[in-house]
Amino acid sequence: MNSILEKIREQFPALSQNSHGRQLIYLDNAATAQKPQTVLDLISKMNGKINANVHRAMYELSDIATEIYEEARCGVAQFIGASRKENIIFTSGCTAAINLVAQSYGAEFLKKGDIIVIGADNHHSNIVPWQLIAQRVGAEIKVLPVTKGGEYDLKELESIITEGVKIVAISHISNILGVINPLDAIISHSHSVGAVVLVDGAQGIVHQDINLSSLDADFYTFSTHKLYGGTGHGVLYGKTELLEKMPPFMGGGDMVDTVTYKKTTYAPLPLKFEAGTPNFVSAASLSPAIKFVEAIRGRGSSWLSGSNKNLQQAVEAEQKKIIEYMFHALDNEVGDVEIYGRPGEDLENESFVDKKIALFSFNIKGTNSSDVAQILDQLGIAVRSGLMCAEPLLNSLGVTGAVRASFGPYNTIDEARQLIEGLKRAKKMLY
Ligand code: PMP
């Protein structure tokens, strides 16, 4: 194994454990990522020592907790290119962030007959909140389809995103297809008809640099636990002018200016949307988590003792090898495999490796995805199976489930090879 990857892996204690008596091969990173020691240490320090509620008290410990919490917000703003830290709302996850926009922006600005466009590849958390608000206000839902290769079909933009569309809610990268979507074209076309755009970045933020000053999305959402940080926490980025005119989503402590029995005035952004005690422990964990992400993208202060450029090169080279190998081996070594999200099918000259993350959803023809996942589990290989919160997409692909192997920056080509061996064995057992 590449010695740099070995060093990275040493920083993730969960990776060195056994499962069913074998070395664990963790390939469910799209569901939740493992946490580096720096994140675990910070979580332990926040719980064990700096455990005081934020924004509330006059004593030193609360001040320190508040400072760490707000530093994390500044770090997120910088990481995603938001112009102000007030654009960053902390929520309990990506799901909560999308619901916040649907229930606040949607309830305030949608009316009967308006249209909401959702991506065909959306996760349930970027479908159901829109159905709830559409039912409440009498809005209609339309679907932006994906091509055979698995990215949004730009040929359909003009016929689907028309006058009357008020919200476009799409995925940066689908949790099933793993294809990097062409966001710019969709955002600029949506704006030209007067719609606002929400991008679900739950998978995108993990794999792609984003700069919201240039991307021009109106809302961008993600979860901390998929980005190597703590659970029960997420981020909503919103443009200032939109967040300012949106009403609060929940009422409670911390989101108020003055309260009387009759009337309340609200705190300025971002606290207007942060009612109640936030998950300040997981919020704080974003700082070391982002430091890790910056390091594997070749930036920031040295994360292991060497240069971050070396980390970047090692991780990128391994991911590229995994993507090329997986396509080849699923087709040629396992065989009878249907892969969902194969950007090569749309591209003639571009490299598919640049369009796809190391996430593979597939079926061995004639087998049940859960049976395959169970066989892999016995070999210590953790993958997902079933509907994976994207039932409409899987239905449109003509299947009722799929196996998904999603690789993280600490996974290796050797683990990919063991997965393929496991799949060959599963096929033999199930055929
Ligand atoms: N969107 C996508 C694309 C996802 O993959 C997920 C998690 N699987 C979510 C949204 C929801 O994230 P969470 O459950 O952390 O709120």
Side-chain angles (χ1 to χ4, degrees), residues 29-32 91-99 121-126 170-176 200-204 221-226 231-234 359 384 388-389 404:
N29 293 282
T32 197
T91 66
S92 65
C94 185
T95 302
I98 299 170
N99 276 276
D121 60 349
N122 281 7
H123 187 275
H124 291 168
S125 63
N126 203 14
I170 51 175
S171 313
H172 188 171
I173 297 176
S174 136
N175 64 314
I176 302 291
D200 171 358
Q203 303 296 336
T221 61
F222 60 92
S223 284
T224 302
H225 68 99
K226 294 187 201 280
T231 42
H233 187 263
L359 179 156
R384 271 295 291 279
M388 293 177 284
C389 300
R404 181 184 69 192

Side-chain angles (χ1 to χ4, degrees), residues 230-349:
T231 42
H233 187 263
V235 172
L236 164 65
Y237 158 87
K239 282 185 179 164
T240 310
E241 62 273 24
L242 296 176
L243 293 175
E244 289 287 5
K245 60 185 191 183
M246 284 160 55
F249 168 51
M250 291 202 300
D254 229 22
M255 51 76 75
V256 297
D257 179 19
T258 60
V259 184
T260 68
Y261 287 121
K262 282 205 170 135
K263 187 172 181 305
T264 295
T265 56
Y266 307 120
L269 293 173
L271 297 187
K272 182 171 88 172
F273 293 110
E274 293 182 13
T277 298
N279 187 340
F280 56 86
V281 176
S282 285
S285 77
L286 271 166
S287 296
I290 288 174
K291 215 167 176 184
F292 167 66
V293 177
E294 292 281 18
I296 56 172
R297 294 181 187 173
R299 301 186 297 252
S301 52
S302 176
W303 193 72
L304 291 172
S305 48
S307 129
N308 288 346
K309 285 278 170 225
N310 293 340
L311 293 191
Q312 180 189 21
Q313 274 166 15
V315 170
E316 282 183 0
E318 197 80 359
Q319 295 283 304
K320 187 164 183 276
K321 262 196 261 176
I322 290 171
I323 295 171
E324 285 172 341
Y325 169 74
M326 283 297 293
F327 274 122
H328 179 82
L330 285 171
D331 282 340
N332 300 300
E333 289 189 36
V334 182
D336 301 307
V337 173
E338 198 167 19
I339 303 174
Y340 313 110
R342 202 191 253 282
E345 296 194 358
D346 294 331
L347 301 172
E348 274 159 26
N349 301 315

Side-chain angles (χ1 to χ4, degrees), residues 21 37 48 61 69 75 79 102 146-147 167 194 204 242 252 263 267 310 337 364 392:
Q37 193 61 51
L61 205 56
Y69 182 75
F79 180 57
V146 291
T147 62
I167 297 177
L242 296 176
K263 187 172 181 305
N310 293 340
V337 173
I364 302 175

